[in-house]
């Protein structure tokens, strides 16, 4: 069995958590003693997460204003994981419609909004973590999934920019790097595999984890 760092007392924000991945992560983190704050746009859809032990907050993960307000209300946070996702594709390059692109765009918007709103809080933590879920499609984009791959590639670029921001802030302050931004890539997302990876975010030092792209396979 893997020896994990103790995360009891850590606060983890799962943004856009009303999915199988959000529920699996909530159960795994709660069983390890972490506090979970789960957001979604519907109280009804958040209820299963509340039953699993999460503090639920009705807030739109794609909205910078709502995420900033949430950050001000909850204060300390040790990890932020935007889980807004979805898939649309097919039809070759000609089938990559504007409507499908617009439907996929919230995944990128959530990465941007959550990272900006919680940047200060993650850097104030003694071990802040920001993690996104991407796809192996970034490494091998196909014509029929060009919209999807483009959104994931942009999300990865943003998460890596977050990593550079963490490193730059630590360097300029003369302090050790304590915050890390990581990208998880999956071909076909297994909720429990992702949950285990989120739980393990503190098993590596920030300096070793920051700016890493990790294959969930």
């Amino acid at each position: 069995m893997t020896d994990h760092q103790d995360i009891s007392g850590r606060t983890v924000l799962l943004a856009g958590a009303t999915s199988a991945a959000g529920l699996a992560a909530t159960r795994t983190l709660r069983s390890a003693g972490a506090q979970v704050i789960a957001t979604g746009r519907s109280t009804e859809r958040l209820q299963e997460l509340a039953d699993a032990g999460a503090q639920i907050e009705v807030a739109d993960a794609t909205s910078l204003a709502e995420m900033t307000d949430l950050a001000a209300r909850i204060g300390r946070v040790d990890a932020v994981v935007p889980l807004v996702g979805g898939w649309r594709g097919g039809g070759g390059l000609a089938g990559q419609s504007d409507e499908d692109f617009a439907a996929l765009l919230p995944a990128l918007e959530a990465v941007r909004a959550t990272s900006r709103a919680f940047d200060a809080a993650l850097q104030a933590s003694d071990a802040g973590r920001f993690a996104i879920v991407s796809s192996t499609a970034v490494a091998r984009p196909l014509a029929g999934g060009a919209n999807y791959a483009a959104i994931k590639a942009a999300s990865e670029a943003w998460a890596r920019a977050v990593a550079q921001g963490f490193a730059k802030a630590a360097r300029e302050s003369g302090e050790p790097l304590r915050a890390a931004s990581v990208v998880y890539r999956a071909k076909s997302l297994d909720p429990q595999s992702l949950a285990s990876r989120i739980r393990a975010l503190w098993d590596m030092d920030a300096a070793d984890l920051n700016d890493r792209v990790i294959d969930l396979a």
Side-chain angles (χ1 to χ4, degrees):
M1 181 178 292
T2 301
D3 291 328
H4 289 298
Q5 288 291 318
D6 181 14
I7 63 168
S8 56
R10 294 283 182 200
T11 299
V12 181
L13 175 74
L14 303 176
T18 55
S19 63
L23 182 59
T26 295
R27 288 172 171 163
T28 297
L29 291 165
R30 289 295 295 143
S31 69
Q35 177 187 3
V36 175
I37 301 172
T39 80
R41 292 183 292 180
S42 163
T43 302
E44 182 179 358
R45 293 191 65 193
L46 284 166
Q47 187 56 52
E48 192 171 19
L49 294 159
D51 293 342
Q55 171 187 329
I56 59 172
E57 296 282 348
V58 177
D60 184 353
T62 70
S63 167
L64 177 60
E66 293 190 28
M67 288 296 101
T68 300
D69 176 69
L70 180 61
R73 286 191 286 110
I74 67 176
R76 178 196 161 196
V77 65
D78 299 297
V80 174
V81 186
L83 292 172
V84 176
W87 157 260
R88 289 196 184 192
L93 202 63
Q96 303 305 292
S97 70
D98 290 346
E99 292 77 12
D100 284 350
F101 186 81
L104 293 166
L105 191 56
L108 172 60
E109 293 173 331
V111 170
R112 294 182 68 247
T114 54
S115 64
R116 294 168 69 193
F118 289 92
D119 184 62
L122 290 175
Q123 293 197 51
S125 169
D126 65 344
R129 301 290 186 263
F130 182 74
I132 73 163
V133 182
S134 185
S135 169
T136 55
V138 171
R140 190 174 182 273
L142 303 177
N147 277 336
Y148 178 75
I151 292 295
K152 290 300 186 182
S155 297
E156 286 197 14
W158 190 276
R160 297 193 68 190
V162 173
Q164 191 275 335
F166 288 162
K168 182 174 184 289
R171 187 169 59 249
E172 291 180 347
S173 68
E175 295 289 329
L177 180 63
R178 299 187 180 94
S181 175
V182 62
V183 172
Y184 291 128
R185 280 185 185 170
K187 182 176 182 180
S188 178
L189 184 61
D190 174 60
Q192 191 53 56
S193 175
L194 175 61
S196 297
R197 288 288 189 164
I198 294 172
R199 191 260 176 266
L201 279 170
W202 292 271
D203 290 352
M204 295 176 64
D205 290 339
D208 296 322
L209 184 63
N210 196 39
D211 202 22
R212 288 193 63 181
V213 177
I214 299 172
D215 193 337
L216 289 184

